[in-house]
Amino acid sequence: MTGANRFVVVANRLPVDRAETASGWEASPGGLVAALAPVLRRHKGCWVGWPGEADTQVEPFEFEGIQLQPVTLTRHDYEDFYEGFSNSSLWPLYHDLIVAPRYEAEWWESYRDVNRRFAEATAAAAAPGAVVWVQDYQLQLVPGLLRAMRPDLTIGFFLHIPFPPPDIFRQLPWREEVIRGLEGCDLIGFQRAEDEENFRTLVGASAPRTGTFPISIDPGAIARGGEGDVATLRESVGSPRTLLLGVDRLDYTKGILQRLLAFESLLEQGMLDDAILVQLATPSRERIDHYRQTRREVEEAVGRINGRFGEVGRPVVHYIHRSVPKSRLGVFYAAADVMLVTPFKDGMNLVAKEYVACHSDGTGALVLSEFAGAAVELRQAFLCNPFDLPSVEEAIRAAVAGDPGAMRAMHAWVTEHDVQRWATDFLEAL
Ligand code: ADQ
């Protein structure tokens, strides 16, 4: 079983969304597509993934010069493989147990089954001796399965989220099989040296080749979005002296409630003068209980803080629970004096880098959790510990006061280390 593609990317999602366009599809806004598209076009590449609609069979099609190979997921797969094992077992386990993972045998069965189908679709698409690059925690069994079907392939894997310390990982009832899946790789890439170290300590001498490849963004693309009307945006929130911003998927790992509590505490102490917080939160994994609870807590805090400190026609927190178009996001980043990125744990956090990319003039300040992968690179940020509220408050106060020079250094770093370089570094190592 071989195909014609010399380079194959395998990811849970295809890089397209359904749209009212001539083809019926539009490119999804992710940076991964932008980084890999040139390589895919150059090497007659193919992308294997789920088209985003359950119970729908989509024939392979070409989109903007890239061959797309859809894998069908049923509603049952979506519930057990995606919401279940991927996002209710692995996601909390790999983020150091911020909430308790649930381990269900049916979810695991479904994960194994879906990974096998992804491996089969990949085997059918890949030319003899092709290079295959598998993405992320939903597909950890694919390398091992694929290796057994196609020993001729070169297989790389990149983990976008953290890899936990061995003692945490060992909770997983199916730990051996997951490790065997990853051992099918020629190269495994991690976000931080610490993740790589955790994996190597766990697996020991039999570990395949590994490396640290911090992912990044396309700084030019996001900064172009920031050239919109910054003044109008600031006016629309009442032209405050200080505009603070949060941008996240609404996920319990992101520490959204903690930053709201820190903001509230500073207002209470009279330490923030004429400041407004804008929080954009994309709906995410909304059928999972822990996500519902996080949303309830965030929305309750927004209501309480506005009730306590807002005026009629002038709330202190502007909260949007919707996705904002990528082209519009840049204006928010450019308009914000202080960006709040406070996850309890995060593989990288691209929002932090996107914010920096929109401040080529050196304005703005970044409050950044020590537990985000981005903190390894963005050392000039105002670092904080989201488990320690006074430390978040202190970082916000320091950021409002500002540190000229810090943003320029970070901007230079992100410009130099973009997502194109990330992809090239990984593929060259592979
Ligand atoms: P995520 O957990 O989704 O990614 P992040 O890296 O911040 O986290 O990426 C989120 C992306 O979604 C950003 O590009 C951002 O612009 C966009 N986004 C967020 N909120 C939005 C909103 N309200 N409207 C529009 N767009 C919004 C996972 C890992 C991260 C890792 C990435 C990439 O959890 O740690 O950095 O993959 O590897």
Side-chain angles (χ1 to χ4, degrees):
M1 198 168 45
T2 63
N5 299 287
R6 296 203 310 271
F7 178 51
V8 184
V9 172
V10 193
N12 176 49
R13 279 287 271 114
L14 284 175
V16 290
D17 296 316
R18 278 281 189 205
E20 305 275 315
T21 56
S23 67
W25 300 95
E26 65 185 4
S28 53
L32 194 60
V33 208
L36 297 177
V39 199
L40 283 161
R41 289 197 193 101
R42 237 185 355 260
H43 296 279
K44 201 176 181 307
C46 162
W47 190 306
V48 177
W50 177 49
E53 288 167 357
D55 291 321
T56 313
Q57 192 152 358
V58 180
E59 290 306 312
F61 62 106
E62 194 179 304
F63 185 84
E64 297 182 355
I66 301 167
Q67 197 56 45
L68 302 184
Q69 186 69 47
V71 176
T72 303
L73 293 190
T74 64
R75 172 117 313 260
H76 173 82
D77 296 328
Y78 183 79
E79 286 170 9
D80 285 7
F81 153 76
Y82 183 75
E83 295 182 322
F85 196 74
S86 297
N87 289 317
S88 302
S89 309
L90 292 176
W91 180 268
L93 181 72
Y94 282 30
H95 287 87
D96 292 355
L97 317 177
I98 295 165
V99 305
R102 270 177 62 193
Y103 306 115
E104 303 278 348
E106 306 92 85
W107 293 353
W108 163 248
E109 291 301 328
S110 174
Y111 184 81
R112 204 157 48 178
D113 181 44
V114 171
N115 270 252
R116 172 164 300 282
R117 273 144 51 202
F118 269 81
E120 282 164 359
T122 308
V131 171
V132 176
W133 192 3
V134 183
Q135 309 288 327
D136 227 359
Y137 64 103
Q138 304 92 347
L139 301 176
Q140 293 173 104
L141 307 184
V142 169
L145 296 166
L146 198 54
R147 172 71 65 213
M149 296 173 198
R150 291 286 305 275
D152 59 301
L153 301 176
T154 298
I155 306 172
F157 178 88
F158 186 77
L159 185 66
H160 291 255
I161 67 175
F163 193 85
D167 260 357
I168 292 186
F169 181 83
R170 280 195 277 263
Q171 284 194 1
L172 187 65
W174 307 280
R175 58 199 185 184
E176 271 104 19
E177 211 164 323
V178 170
I179 293 301
R180 270 203 303 284
L182 292 171
E183 280 175 343
C185 291
D186 294 289
L187 175 66
I188 308 180
F190 296 92
Q191 300 274 27
R192 300 174 313 158
E194 216 173 300
D195 302 314
E196 183 184 3
E197 193 54 41
N198 285 341
F199 179 79
R200 298 205 69 90
T201 308
L202 177 78
V203 176
S206 70
R209 205 154 59 87
T210 55
T212 301
F213 303 90
I215 199 170
S216 193
I217 57 164
D218 177 352
I222 189 84
R224 276 192 293 284
E227 288 159 7
D229 199 349
V230 168
T232 306
L233 178 65
R234 290 190 67 108
E235 274 163 32
S236 71
V237 293
S239 305
R241 180 186 302 168
T242 309
L243 176 57
L244 301 113
L245 176 67
V247 174
D248 312 76
R249 269 190 312 102
L250 209 163
D251 192 299
Y252 52 77
T253 59
K254 302 291 182 183
I256 301 171
L257 177 64
Q258 279 55 36
R259 85 182 63 132
L260 286 167
L261 295 178
F263 182 64
E264 180 176 30
S265 166
L266 288 170
L267 290 175
E268 202 168 70
Q269 298 168 62
M271 284 176 172
L272 274 183
D273 189 25
D274 194 14
I276 293 287
L277 170 59
V278 174
Q279 175 66 54
L280 310 181
T282 314
S284 184
R285 305 174 192 168
E286 292 206 282
R287 288 152 31 98
I288 300 175
D289 277 346
H290 286 302
Y291 287 79
R292 289 198 182 134
Q293 188 188 336
T294 302
R295 179 177 173 191
R296 271 198 302 276
E297 289 168 357
V298 163
E299 294 184 348
E300 185 197 316
V302 170
R304 185 185 61 242
I305 298 168
N306 279 331
R308 294 183 65 195
F309 301 102
E311 300 291 342
V312 172
R314 192 171 163 82
V316 287
V317 182
H318 294 251
Y319 167 75
I320 309 288
H321 183 243
R322 288 190 300 274
S323 187
V324 173
K326 258 284 167 4
S327 55
R328 175 105 182 104
L329 215 45
V331 182
F332 282 92
Y333 289 138
D337 302 298
V338 176
M339 183 80 210
L340 303 177
V341 178
T342 55
F344 291 120
K345 190 84 189 175
D346 215 330
M348 176 53 60
N349 195 291
L350 296 180
V351 164
K353 291 186 172 180
E354 288 168 357
Y355 177 72
V356 167
C358 291
H359 288 266
S360 59
D361 59 356
T363 61
L366 174 63
V367 170
L368 180 59
S369 161
E370 309 165 19
F371 301 103
V376 175
E377 295 170 275
L378 305 178
R379 298 309 298 172
Q380 298 82 0
F382 295 92
L383 295 178
C384 68
N385 172 4
F387 295 92
D388 172 22
L389 270 194
S391 125
V392 182
E393 292 171 28
E394 187 45 45
I396 295 176
R397 286 182 61 193
V400 169
D403 170 13
M407 189 53 73
R408 278 187 205 286
M410 293 192 287
H411 186 270
W413 177 274
V414 171
T415 307
E416 187 68 14
H417 299 82
D418 63 1
V419 69
Q420 193 63 60
R421 177 165 171 178
W422 167 79
T424 308
D425 284 353
F426 183 91
L427 290 171
E428 274 175 8
L430 182 63

